[in-house]
Amino acid sequence: MTERKEEFTVSGEELLKKVKELIEEGSVRRIVIKNKEGKTLLEVPLTIGVVGAVLAPVLAAVGAAAALLTECTIVVVREEE
């Protein structure tokens, strides 16, 4: 398996929505949220089968970060066969 990275620049308002979309895709293995200066604010490893209550604290942290950011970058690491 190989890893592929993608980056998305979003506003703080769009952050939580985009992270939820990425988690629902299922092929995402890690999400890293960086501020506009490139400093990592939050890194979330995702494993197959992570759902519901396990994600609640992660989404709460993402929501808190979104409230503080005007712009951020989401780095998405996917595994591909």
Side-chain angles (χ1 to χ4, degrees):
M1 289 190 172
T2 61
E3 284 188 350
R4 178 173 53 106
K5 291 184 181 180
E6 297 177 47
E7 291 191 12
F8 303 92
T9 301
V10 296
S11 69
E13 299 168 352
E14 299 168 331
L15 178 61
L16 188 56
K17 179 182 174 188
K18 186 65 175 175
V19 168
K20 285 180 180 180
E21 287 175 11
L22 291 166
I23 290 170
E24 288 174 8
E25 286 179 20
S27 64
V28 175
R29 296 294 161 244
R30 190 168 66 238
I31 295 175
V32 181
I33 299 172
K34 297 182 178 188
N35 64 12
K36 62 183 175 183
E37 289 81 28
K39 180 180 178 188
T40 299
L41 302 175
L42 182 65
E43 186 166 342
V44 183
L46 300 174
T47 57
I48 296 171
V50 174
V51 292
V54 176
L55 288 178
V58 170
L59 295 176
V62 170
L68 300 172
L69 298 170
T70 55
E71 183 180 295
C72 61
T73 300
I74 302 171
V75 179
V76 179
V77 179
R78 301 176 189 270
E79 280 189 12
E80 297 180 332
E81 292 189 31

